[in-house]
Amino acid sequence: MENTLGKSLRELRCLYDIARITGSTHITLQERLLEIVSIIPKALQYPEIAFASISVNGNNFKTENYCETDLTLAADILVRGAKAGSVVVGYARPPAASPDGLFSKEERLLLDAIAERLGAITEHRQAEEALQESEAKFYLAFNASPDIMAISKMADGEFAEVNESFTSFTGYSKAELIGHTAGELMLLPFKEDSEKIRQALEEKGRVRVEEVRLRKKSGGIYPVLFSAEPLTIGGEKYLLTTSTDISEQRQSQELVQTISDVSPLGIYILQDDRLKFTNPRFQKITGYSQRELADRELLSLVAAEDSDIVKSSTAFTLQAQSPYPCEYRILSKNGQIKWVMQTVSPIRYEGKTGILGNLMDITERKYLERKVIEYEELSKMKSDLLATVSHKLRTPLTTIKGYSTMILDYYERLGTEETREYLRSIDASTDRLTKLVDNLLDTSRMEAGLLKLEKAPASVTRLIQAVAAEASARSGQHHIITRLPRRLPIINIDAKRIWQVLDNLIDNAVKFSPPGTEITMTADKARDAIVIRVIDNGPGINAGELAHIFERMYRIEQKVYTGTDGIGLGLYICQKLVEGHGGRIWAESTPGKGSIFAFTLPVTGTGKNRQTPARTPETSGGKAR
Ligand code: ADP
């Protein structure tokens, strides 16, 4: 009995001691296991020769007398169901007497109980360590965070902890903050901000990234992105708040915004060929609103003939990484063409690569450039004209001067016929001179926009008949024929000017066709117009020249018809006069066979579209010059 009692007492003491060691605070797991290993042998039947060892998670703890023998008993230490080690008891040598065997049943149960206890201690300790580690990590992150962080009590809002970013941002020390509320320190000066936070907490229990304004100790107010998450520490509810200072970001955004708003350059950002951003100047140049431009293809604004230049200059710049400015035309919303000069560069925008384009409106510059070119052309033309005109004036003047001197010097000796011949030459040269001067005057009047048409109802039939009669009288060497329909409407024209057109065409036909050939004038009624034709049997005009003969001062004479006078203004004047009447003039020709010069005169607005009376109109009474 005494023996049994003694054994139970030893076991109880051992378990009690283990419980005491487990419960004692401020000692490490190692110290605990070392102490436990030293008391285990005392619970065995022969404590004086007993030893013990504990190995757990790679750490071994042994009593001093530990030795390798076969006289051992072991039990596994399980942590969360898995073997984490073992506890072993043993005897250094066989005990003198062991009536219950080397280890009694109770001793086996005791060792199992110890192993279980050790498993629990290890498990608990591991959980504690993990917690401590995560707490340490949290505090490290909390303190080192660049975000402005605080932990405040949910109940009264008092700050329990703030990080370094919080103190350095607000300018308040930890002491000034802890134990106080944001309200007391007026950290949120705007009611709508605190209201926004309060409402989110009430509705969702947290705040997710709201922009609010924080007031620093110095009084300055700065924008931040604010979040708050609930947190329980030691059974008490707290709020972990995080704010990110976005004042610099906001400032640079505002700077970029201002630059883009006031820039004299049109700015755009392109992604996948579509406009993702445009500034007010770009909108002004194109005439479209921001909304109309959003997601639109840039090339849809570019004049079709320039789209290749835009594509290739963009590709080149991006490849060569050096700006390659290009000039192109934009079709603005109201149909105007705007010239722009642009440079592009690669950019990242909203997380994606894109192209940043800058363009300058150079419409004005282009206009001036064109004016300069026109001016240069004009002055060249003027000097050409001067040279031609002086040359052309000289020929008839020489004739006039020559014959008049002859008449004056030899008046007595000249016969009547000779004198008449000389006077005829003087008369013809004077006519040529007059025509030249008239053509020059008409051209300059037309170019100054000063030529006025005085329209009145007139008969084309009679006009043609009169021109033909006069031309026949003038040039006896050609047969001038008219082919006119019986009825033609009266139309509203400046008869003097149409006379001039017909006269010019007949003159050319006479000038360029061989003597004895026919020159025919016809008139026909087309849909809304009368078509008048002057047909000759002259040398004709080849297709290449046909396209140019109506141009100002264009002549073929140098190449083909040397000796004819004229300065290439006749057809140019005819064209302007016909167009002034709302008509059209053109030439058709088969080289070697002859030419047809045709023009239309619209039939409108006389209110007298009746048959031509058989009288000659007043306007055809003389040479319309
Ligand atoms: P010009 O006063 O020098 O004749 P125009 O303007 O009247 O100038 O004519 C321009 C050119 O067109 C002429 O130089 C001539 O070469 C050609 N041309 C005009 N009419 C005829 C025609 N009936 N037959 C052939 N060539 C012509």
Side-chain angles (χ1 to χ4, degrees):
M1 273 255 314
E2 198 187 301
N3 190 26
T4 317
L5 262 176
K7 264 200 282 184
S8 301
L9 208 62
R10 275 200 302 277
E11 283 166 20
L12 269 176
R13 188 170 293 136
C14 177
L15 285 176
Y16 169 76
D17 281 345
I18 291 175
R20 180 180 54 79
I21 295 164
T22 310
S24 65
T25 50
H26 308 306
I27 62 164
T28 65
L29 182 63
Q30 265 87 343
E31 288 167 338
R32 234 165 247 184
L33 295 175
L34 213 57
E35 219 175 307
I36 292 170
V37 85
S38 70
I39 58 170
I40 296 173
K42 291 179 196 153
L44 298 178
Q45 287 182 68
Y46 309 103
E48 55 288 351
I49 54 163
F51 62 80
S53 93
I54 299 170
S55 59
V56 65
N57 287 338
N59 293 316
N60 294 307
F61 307 93
K62 293 170 184 163
T63 50
E64 272 173 19
N65 58 343
Y66 178 86
C67 59
E68 295 288 336
T69 65
D70 293 337
L71 315 169
T72 55
L73 176 70
D76 286 345
I77 301 172
L78 302 178
V79 173
R80 276 186 220 97
K83 185 175 172 182
S86 59
V87 52
V88 180
V89 288
Y91 292 114
R93 55 191 152 78
S98 47
D100 298 341
L102 191 58
F103 295 103
S104 67
K105 193 175 146 214
E106 291 76 15
E107 278 173 332
R108 283 175 210 279
L109 289 173
L110 176 69
L111 198 66
D112 286 344
I114 292 172
E116 198 190 308
R117 208 60 234 132
L118 289 170
I121 293 171
T122 314
E123 195 174 310
H124 181 71
R125 186 61 207 161
Q126 273 178 355
E128 250 178 25
E129 274 170 7
L131 185 66
Q132 275 168 7
E133 203 176 304
S134 73
E135 268 180 19
K137 276 185 192 155
F138 171 79
Y139 273 100
L140 197 69
F142 180 80
N143 275 321
S145 172
D147 282 335
I148 304 153
M149 295 176 94
I151 298 171
S152 50
K153 286 190 207 149
M154 194 81 99
D156 50 17
E158 273 180 14
F159 289 117
E161 193 59 75
V162 292
N163 72 352
E164 272 178 39
S165 299
F166 200 109
T167 53
S168 64
F169 177 80
T170 59
Y172 288 107
S173 68
K174 256 191 180 187
E176 286 172 311
L177 289 161
I178 290 177
H180 298 277
T181 65
E184 282 170 38
L185 298 166
M186 294 202 298
L187 287 176
L188 287 163
F190 295 97
K191 202 154 182 262
E192 61 265 35
D193 289 346
S194 37
E195 192 51 31
K196 199 155 55 174
I197 295 172
R198 196 194 57 74
Q199 205 173 333
L201 284 174
E202 209 165 83
E203 285 167 12
K204 299 180 204 124
R206 53 166 52 86
V207 186
R208 285 275 157 83
V209 202
E210 287 283 359
E211 188 175 331
V212 299
R213 286 144 297 174
L214 286 189
R215 197 188 63 87
K216 294 188 179 183
K217 191 179 177 184
S218 60
I221 295 169
Y222 294 83
V224 296
L225 290 180
F226 179 89
S227 298
E229 284 291 324
L231 183 81
T232 308
I233 307 172
E236 201 173 336
K237 289 204 165 124
Y238 289 87
L239 206 58
L240 170 70
T241 63
T242 313
S243 308
T244 314
D245 180 5
I246 52 165
S247 51
E248 271 183 27
Q249 190 184 331
R250 198 38 53 82
Q251 256 177 23
S252 48
Q253 268 173 1
E254 277 169 13
L255 185 71
V256 170
Q257 185 72 38
T258 314
I259 292 173
S260 129
D261 281 355
V262 302
S263 174
L265 296 178
I267 301 172
Y268 66 81
I269 292 176
L270 209 60
Q271 279 171 337
D272 303 324
D273 299 331
R274 289 178 183 276
L275 293 165
K276 298 293 167 184
F277 169 86
T278 56
N279 76 335
R281 182 73 192 151
F282 186 91
Q283 291 148 24
K284 186 143 187 270
I285 294 172
T286 58
Y288 290 101
S289 69
Q290 184 171 25
R291 191 173 316 160
E292 287 169 321
L293 289 169
D295 233 25
R296 201 184 163 121
E297 278 191 47
L298 174 71
L299 286 179
S300 72
L301 304 171
V302 176
E305 53 271 53
D306 290 347
S307 64
D308 284 346
I309 305 172
V310 176
K311 280 191 234 163
S312 57
S313 99
T314 306
F316 180 84
T317 307
L318 298 181
Q319 263 166 28
Q321 304 243 316
S322 65
Y324 177 64
C326 85
E327 293 183 359
Y328 63 90
R329 280 158 289 183
I330 274 184
L331 288 172
S332 70
K333 191 179 175 184
N334 63 9
Q336 262 186 317
I337 290 184
K338 296 275 180 77
W339 270 100
V340 295
M341 184 174 78
Q342 93 163 10
T343 53
V344 297
S345 43
I347 194 182
R348 274 199 83 75
Y349 181 67
E350 294 184 340
K352 276 173 67 188
T353 54
I355 294 168
L356 172 74
N358 282 295
L359 42 93
M360 192 194 287
D361 187 347
I362 54 162
T363 315
E364 186 77 359
R365 198 193 83 194
K366 282 277 171 189
Y367 173 77
L368 291 176
E369 271 174 15
R370 210 175 47 240
K371 281 279 155 209
V372 169
I373 293 170
E374 274 176 16
Y375 177 77
E376 279 167 359
E377 277 174 0
L378 198 70
S379 36
K380 180 169 181 311
M381 197 204 78
K382 284 206 170 130
S383 48
D384 287 356
L385 184 74
L386 207 62
T388 319
V389 167
S390 17
H391 176 72
K392 292 285 168 186
L393 289 178
R394 188 166 291 273
T395 322
L397 273 178
T398 314
T399 314
I400 294 170
K401 174 71 185 156
Y403 285 121
S404 40
T405 310
M406 287 262 276
I407 295 171
L408 283 173
D409 287 357
Y410 303 104
Y411 185 69
E412 307 292 330
R413 275 184 270 158
L414 289 174
T416 330
E417 203 36 52
E418 265 178 317
T419 313
R420 185 169 287 132
E421 180 65 22
Y422 292 167
L423 286 172
R424 239 185 251 121
S425 286
I426 293 174
D427 186 47
S429 291
T430 316
D431 277 352
R432 268 159 65 193
L433 262 184
T434 314
K435 191 175 176 188
L436 269 175
V437 172
D438 280 348
N439 275 352
L440 283 169
L441 281 175
D442 277 348
T443 306
S444 59
R445 267 190 221 124
M446 278 167 187
E447 278 169 9
L450 294 174
L451 193 90
K452 293 269 173 307
L453 294 177
E454 286 164 25
K455 290 190 197 171
S459 153
V460 172
T461 315
R462 268 190 237 124
L463 190 62
I464 291 175
Q465 282 164 343
V467 172
E470 214 216 49
S472 297
R474 209 168 49 225
S475 149
Q477 295 182 312
H478 293 82
H479 306 293
I480 299 174
I481 304 168
T482 57
R483 229 172 31 229
L484 302 165
R486 283 203 325 124
R487 294 160 79 86
L488 272 183
I490 295 289
I491 53 170
N492 221 8
I493 50 171
D494 184 332
K496 273 190 184 179
R497 291 301 186 179
I498 296 305
W499 180 295
Q500 187 182 346
V501 172
L502 287 168
D503 215 25
N504 251 317
L505 297 181
I506 295 266
D507 253 16
N508 278 348
V510 167
K511 214 155 63 177
F512 298 110
S513 359
T517 53
E518 271 181 11
I519 297 169
T520 315
M521 291 167 86
T522 69
D524 296 289
K525 168 83 174 62
R527 226 157 56 94
D528 301 321
I530 294 176
V531 188
I532 300 162
R533 292 185 176 81
V534 176
I535 306 159
D536 67 41
N537 294 299
I541 304 162
N542 69 42
E545 307 280 9
L546 262 187
H548 299 289
I549 52 172
F550 291 96
E551 288 169 15
R552 187 175 54 189
M553 295 193 65
Y554 189 84
R555 305 206 72 217
I556 317 173
E557 67 166 348
Q558 290 89 341
K559 300 163 208 166
V560 190
Y561 322 107
T562 44
T564 60
D565 54 12
I567 48 173
L569 289 178
L571 290 179
Y572 171 73
I573 293 171
C574 289
Q575 184 183 40
K576 293 285 169 209
L577 290 175
V578 169
E579 284 173 359
H581 278 84
R584 196 169 70 79
I585 188 165
W586 70 97
E588 297 158 16
S589 183
T590 315
K593 291 207 167 147
S595 315
I596 302 173
F597 281 82
F599 66 95
T600 61
L601 290 172
V603 180
T604 44
T606 61
K608 295 191 193 175
N609 289 348
R610 54 185 164 78
Q611 201 191 342
T612 310
R615 263 187 322 107
T616 307
E618 309 102 305
T619 47
S620 65
K623 260 193 170 183
R625 289 266 153 84

